[in-house]
Amino acid sequence: MADGQGLDDIDAADIESNYDETIDSFDAMNLKTDLLRGIYAYGSKRPSAFQQHAIMPAIKGKDVVAQARSGSGTTAAVSISVLQRIDPDVEACQVLILAPTRERAHQIQKVIATIGGFTDIECYACIGGTRIGNDTKALQDGRQSVVIGTPGRVHDMIYRRALCTDNTKMIVLDEADTILSRGFAEQVHDIFGILCQSTTTQVVLFSATMSQDVLKIITEFTRNPVRITIEKYETCLKGVKHLFDLHKTITDRQAVIFCNTRGKVEWLTDKLAARDFAVSAIHRDMDAPQRNNSMKQFFSGSHVLVATNMLATTIDVQQVPLVINFDLPANPEDYIHRVGHGGGGRLGRKGIAINFVAANELRTMHGIEQFYGTRIEKMPTNAANLF
């Protein structure tokens, strides 16, 4: 068990991104020269949004849990991270990658071989449906620095002592939700149990969804993992862009922007401050003097206040004409507290509430509409017409 955190302690909030660092060029990643040559030869010019987040913590040896859709660049991210981590002087399996299918294992092997084409690193696909004798011979010679395989065959090779994991310092679980849903949970747990006996074994896990089986792996075998949920990150960045665009038309108006978590409040405040917004922040983890100072700044000149729900329930800002829900509240009851304190025309006051609604929040929005028996209208193209 990692860090005393049990499965019962994990919920959806625990897989929110906790890592904001981005490296937007391969040159800035301090990669090996031969690896960098391979990346450009592969045709990659600039890292994808996912790669900008995921590669650096992986090559630094941190455990990484990443939720990203197909097409985000996970295969190249795995390949680059693995190739950077390999010690060419060690003739043994240093990285083990588990894939859900033979086709996926071959795809990963091909990308690693291509990007690593200017290195001497060898990788081997260990998959079901092939002769066991061939795998045994290939693995026992110790020249395969990277082994990519399906869980059943890899499990078999480890227990036959054909695949030695004594020098394996990194294990990658690719498409974890798919692997675990295909009946490989027992083999995966056995493999992780063997490799993660060493506290230095790095775990990198990619999954499109976070099922209970995936969360169990995360709980049992990772240590303080870097968590990356790239779709939510991209949605947040789009939200920030909308704020910038909106600000052009309402620059003379004060606004309260609600986020659901302290981390989001701090992140958004930093983003707005970097774009020269007059912004202050408030959340429950601040002490009373800090909260009072933020409110004083807001009412004495800051045009934007970024806050959690605690502002909606404890502090009256009824004179503020605009409320923006950067995140929709998880509970419909909280919606009236937010817009009733500033926007939405509630309680006899004239004001505007603007909601940023991502595709995965449509159900939440419809729940709010149903709860209050109202309709949230689409914002007009010209926001200035709202006032």
Short mmCIF file of all heavy atoms in Angstrom, two decimals, residues 26 30-42 55 59 76 79-85 112 114-119 121:
data_model
loop_
_atom_site.label_atom_id
_atom_site.label_comp_id
_atom_site.label_asym_id
_atom_site.label_seq_id
_atom_site.Cartn_x
_atom_site.Cartn_y
_atom_site.Cartn_z
N PHE A 26 10.65 20.09 -27.57
CA PHE A 26 11.50 18.94 -27.26
C PHE A 26 12.92 19.39 -26.92
O PHE A 26 13.59 18.78 -26.07
CB PHE A 26 11.53 17.96 -28.45
CG PHE A 26 10.22 17.28 -28.70
CD1 PHE A 26 9.52 17.49 -29.88
CD2 PHE A 26 9.67 16.42 -27.75
CE1 PHE A 26 8.31 16.85 -30.11
CE2 PHE A 26 8.46 15.78 -27.97
CZ PHE A 26 7.77 16.00 -29.16
N ASN A 30 15.94 18.72 -22.43
CA ASN A 30 17.27 18.18 -22.12
C ASN A 30 17.37 16.69 -22.40
O ASN A 30 17.89 15.90 -21.59
CB ASN A 30 17.62 18.46 -20.64
CG ASN A 30 17.75 19.94 -20.34
OD1 ASN A 30 18.31 20.70 -21.13
ND2 ASN A 30 17.21 20.36 -19.22
N LEU A 31 16.88 16.30 -23.57
CA LEU A 31 16.90 14.90 -23.97
C LEU A 31 18.27 14.53 -24.55
O LEU A 31 19.03 15.40 -24.99
CB LEU A 31 15.81 14.64 -25.01
CG LEU A 31 14.37 14.95 -24.57
CD1 LEU A 31 13.42 14.82 -25.75
CD2 LEU A 31 13.95 14.03 -23.43
N LYS A 32 18.56 13.24 -24.57
CA LYS A 32 19.80 12.76 -25.18
C LYS A 32 19.81 13.16 -26.66
O LYS A 32 18.77 13.16 -27.32
CB LYS A 32 19.89 11.24 -25.05
CG LYS A 32 19.89 10.73 -23.62
CD LYS A 32 19.77 9.21 -23.59
CE LYS A 32 19.68 8.69 -22.17
NZ LYS A 32 19.44 7.22 -22.11
N THR A 33 20.98 13.47 -27.16
CA THR A 33 21.11 13.96 -28.54
C THR A 33 20.55 12.97 -29.55
O THR A 33 19.80 13.34 -30.46
CB THR A 33 22.57 14.26 -28.86
OG1 THR A 33 23.08 15.24 -27.94
CG2 THR A 33 22.71 14.80 -30.28
N ASP A 34 20.90 11.69 -29.39
CA ASP A 34 20.42 10.68 -30.34
C ASP A 34 18.91 10.50 -30.26
O ASP A 34 18.25 10.23 -31.26
CB ASP A 34 21.11 9.33 -30.08
CG ASP A 34 22.57 9.34 -30.52
OD1 ASP A 34 22.93 10.22 -31.31
OD2 ASP A 34 23.33 8.47 -30.05
N LEU A 35 18.37 10.67 -29.07
CA LEU A 35 16.92 10.58 -28.92
C LEU A 35 16.23 11.77 -29.58
O LEU A 35 15.22 11.61 -30.27
CB LEU A 35 16.56 10.53 -27.43
CG LEU A 35 15.06 10.59 -27.07
CD1 LEU A 35 14.27 9.50 -27.79
CD2 LEU A 35 14.88 10.47 -25.56
N LEU A 36 16.80 12.95 -29.41
CA LEU A 36 16.23 14.14 -30.04
C LEU A 36 16.26 14.01 -31.56
O LEU A 36 15.29 14.37 -32.25
CB LEU A 36 17.02 15.37 -29.59
CG LEU A 36 16.35 16.74 -29.75
CD1 LEU A 36 15.02 16.79 -29.02
CD2 LEU A 36 17.27 17.84 -29.27
N ARG A 37 17.34 13.45 -32.09
CA ARG A 37 17.41 13.22 -33.54
C ARG A 37 16.29 12.28 -33.97
O ARG A 37 15.65 12.49 -35.01
CB ARG A 37 18.76 12.60 -33.90
CG ARG A 37 19.95 13.54 -33.79
CD ARG A 37 21.24 12.79 -34.10
NE ARG A 37 21.26 12.28 -35.46
CZ ARG A 37 22.09 11.32 -35.88
NH1 ARG A 37 22.97 10.78 -35.04
NH2 ARG A 37 22.05 10.92 -37.14
N GLY A 38 16.04 11.24 -33.18
CA GLY A 38 15.00 10.28 -33.51
C GLY A 38 13.62 10.89 -33.49
O GLY A 38 12.76 10.55 -34.31
N ILE A 39 13.38 11.79 -32.54
CA ILE A 39 12.07 12.44 -32.44
C ILE A 39 11.79 13.25 -33.69
O ILE A 39 10.70 13.17 -34.28
CB ILE A 39 12.01 13.34 -31.19
CG1 ILE A 39 12.05 12.49 -29.92
CG2 ILE A 39 10.77 14.23 -31.22
CD1 ILE A 39 12.23 13.30 -28.65
N TYR A 40 12.78 14.04 -34.12
CA TYR A 40 12.58 14.86 -35.31
C TYR A 40 12.52 14.01 -36.58
O TYR A 40 11.76 14.32 -37.51
CB TYR A 40 13.66 15.93 -35.41
CG TYR A 40 13.53 16.99 -34.34
CD1 TYR A 40 14.59 17.34 -33.51
CD2 TYR A 40 12.32 17.66 -34.14
CE1 TYR A 40 14.47 18.31 -32.53
CE2 TYR A 40 12.18 18.62 -33.16
CZ TYR A 40 13.25 18.94 -32.36
OH TYR A 40 13.12 19.89 -31.38
N ALA A 41 13.27 12.93 -36.60
CA ALA A 41 13.20 12.02 -37.75
C ALA A 41 11.84 11.33 -37.83
O ALA A 41 11.34 11.02 -38.92
CB ALA A 41 14.31 10.98 -37.66
N TYR A 42 11.23 11.13 -36.67
CA TYR A 42 9.90 10.51 -36.60
C TYR A 42 8.83 11.46 -37.15
O TYR A 42 7.74 11.04 -37.51
CB TYR A 42 9.61 10.16 -35.14
CG TYR A 42 8.29 9.50 -34.87
CD1 TYR A 42 8.01 8.23 -35.36
CD2 TYR A 42 7.31 10.15 -34.11
CE1 TYR A 42 6.79 7.61 -35.10
CE2 TYR A 42 6.10 9.54 -33.84
CZ TYR A 42 5.84 8.27 -34.34
OH TYR A 42 4.64 7.67 -34.07
N ILE A 55 5.79 14.09 -20.27
CA ILE A 55 7.13 13.57 -20.51
C ILE A 55 8.09 13.91 -19.38
O ILE A 55 8.82 13.04 -18.87
CB ILE A 55 7.67 14.06 -21.87
CG1 ILE A 55 6.89 13.41 -23.01
CG2 ILE A 55 9.16 13.74 -22.01
CD1 ILE A 55 7.27 13.90 -24.39
N ILE A 59 10.36 11.27 -17.15
CA ILE A 59 11.81 11.09 -17.28
C ILE A 59 12.55 11.49 -16.01
O ILE A 59 13.71 11.12 -15.82
CB ILE A 59 12.38 11.84 -18.51
CG1 ILE A 59 12.25 13.35 -18.35
CG2 ILE A 59 11.72 11.37 -19.77
CD1 ILE A 59 12.84 14.13 -19.52
N ALA A 76 3.96 8.17 -28.23
CA ALA A 76 5.24 8.88 -28.35
C ALA A 76 5.73 9.34 -26.99
O ALA A 76 6.93 9.32 -26.71
CB ALA A 76 5.10 10.06 -29.30
N SER A 79 7.27 6.39 -25.39
CA SER A 79 8.52 6.04 -26.08
C SER A 79 9.65 6.97 -25.69
O SER A 79 10.77 6.53 -25.38
CB SER A 79 8.30 6.08 -27.59
OG SER A 79 7.26 5.19 -27.97
N ILE A 80 9.39 8.27 -25.70
CA ILE A 80 10.41 9.26 -25.36
C ILE A 80 10.85 9.10 -23.91
O ILE A 80 12.05 9.11 -23.60
CB ILE A 80 9.90 10.68 -25.63
CG1 ILE A 80 9.68 10.89 -27.13
CG2 ILE A 80 10.87 11.73 -25.08
CD1 ILE A 80 8.89 12.14 -27.48
N SER A 81 9.89 8.93 -23.01
CA SER A 81 10.21 8.78 -21.59
C SER A 81 11.05 7.54 -21.34
O SER A 81 12.04 7.57 -20.61
CB SER A 81 8.91 8.71 -20.77
OG SER A 81 8.10 9.82 -21.00
N VAL A 82 10.65 6.45 -21.97
CA VAL A 82 11.36 5.18 -21.79
C VAL A 82 12.79 5.27 -22.32
O VAL A 82 13.75 4.88 -21.67
CB VAL A 82 10.58 4.05 -22.49
CG1 VAL A 82 11.45 2.82 -22.70
CG2 VAL A 82 9.33 3.69 -21.71
N LEU A 83 12.92 5.80 -23.53
CA LEU A 83 14.24 5.87 -24.16
C LEU A 83 15.19 6.79 -23.39
O LEU A 83 16.39 6.54 -23.33
CB LEU A 83 14.10 6.34 -25.61
CG LEU A 83 13.44 5.32 -26.55
CD1 LEU A 83 12.98 5.98 -27.84
CD2 LEU A 83 14.41 4.17 -26.84
N GLN A 84 14.65 7.85 -22.81
CA GLN A 84 15.48 8.75 -22.02
C GLN A 84 15.94 8.08 -20.72
O GLN A 84 17.04 8.33 -20.23
CB GLN A 84 14.71 10.03 -21.71
CG GLN A 84 15.47 11.06 -20.88
CD GLN A 84 16.62 11.72 -21.62
OE1 GLN A 84 16.72 11.64 -22.84
NE2 GLN A 84 17.51 12.38 -20.88
N ARG A 85 15.11 7.22 -20.16
CA ARG A 85 15.40 6.61 -18.86
C ARG A 85 16.37 5.42 -18.95
O ARG A 85 16.97 5.02 -17.96
CB ARG A 85 14.09 6.13 -18.22
CG ARG A 85 13.16 7.24 -17.78
CD ARG A 85 13.51 7.72 -16.38
NE ARG A 85 13.05 6.78 -15.37
CZ ARG A 85 13.70 6.48 -14.25
NH1 ARG A 85 14.86 7.04 -14.00
NH2 ARG A 85 13.20 5.61 -13.38
N ILE A 112 8.78 2.94 -30.51
CA ILE A 112 10.02 2.99 -29.74
C ILE A 112 11.22 2.72 -30.63
O ILE A 112 12.25 3.40 -30.56
CB ILE A 112 9.99 1.99 -28.57
CG1 ILE A 112 8.97 2.44 -27.52
CG2 ILE A 112 11.36 1.83 -27.93
CD1 ILE A 112 8.81 1.47 -26.36
N THR A 114 11.44 3.22 -33.83
CA THR A 114 11.63 4.31 -34.78
C THR A 114 12.26 5.53 -34.09
O THR A 114 13.27 6.08 -34.57
CB THR A 114 10.29 4.71 -35.42
OG1 THR A 114 9.72 3.57 -36.06
CG2 THR A 114 10.50 5.81 -36.44
N ILE A 115 11.68 5.96 -32.98
CA ILE A 115 12.22 7.12 -32.28
C ILE A 115 13.61 6.82 -31.72
O ILE A 115 14.47 7.70 -31.67
CB ILE A 115 11.26 7.55 -31.15
CG1 ILE A 115 9.95 8.08 -31.77
CG2 ILE A 115 11.89 8.64 -30.27
CD1 ILE A 115 8.91 8.50 -30.75
N GLY A 116 13.83 5.57 -31.35
CA GLY A 116 15.14 5.18 -30.83
C GLY A 116 16.09 4.67 -31.89
O GLY A 116 17.08 4.00 -31.57
N GLY A 117 15.80 5.00 -33.14
CA GLY A 117 16.59 4.47 -34.26
C GLY A 117 18.05 4.89 -34.27
O GLY A 117 18.88 4.22 -34.89
N PHE A 118 18.38 6.00 -33.59
CA PHE A 118 19.77 6.46 -33.54
C PHE A 118 20.47 5.99 -32.27
O PHE A 118 21.61 6.37 -32.01
CB PHE A 118 19.82 7.99 -33.64
CG PHE A 118 19.32 8.52 -34.96
CD1 PHE A 118 18.02 8.99 -35.09
CD2 PHE A 118 20.14 8.53 -36.08
CE1 PHE A 118 17.55 9.48 -36.30
CE2 PHE A 118 19.68 9.02 -37.30
CZ PHE A 118 18.38 9.49 -37.41
N THR A 119 19.78 5.18 -31.48
CA THR A 119 20.38 4.62 -30.27
C THR A 119 20.62 3.13 -30.48
O THR A 119 20.23 2.55 -31.49
CB THR A 119 19.44 4.81 -29.06
OG1 THR A 119 18.32 3.91 -29.18
CG2 THR A 119 18.92 6.24 -28.98
N ILE A 121 19.45 0.94 -28.29
CA ILE A 121 18.49 0.32 -27.39
C ILE A 121 17.62 -0.68 -28.16
O ILE A 121 17.10 -0.38 -29.23
CB ILE A 121 17.61 1.40 -26.73
CG1 ILE A 121 18.49 2.29 -25.84
CG2 ILE A 121 16.48 0.78 -25.93
CD1 ILE A 121 17.78 3.51 -25.29
#
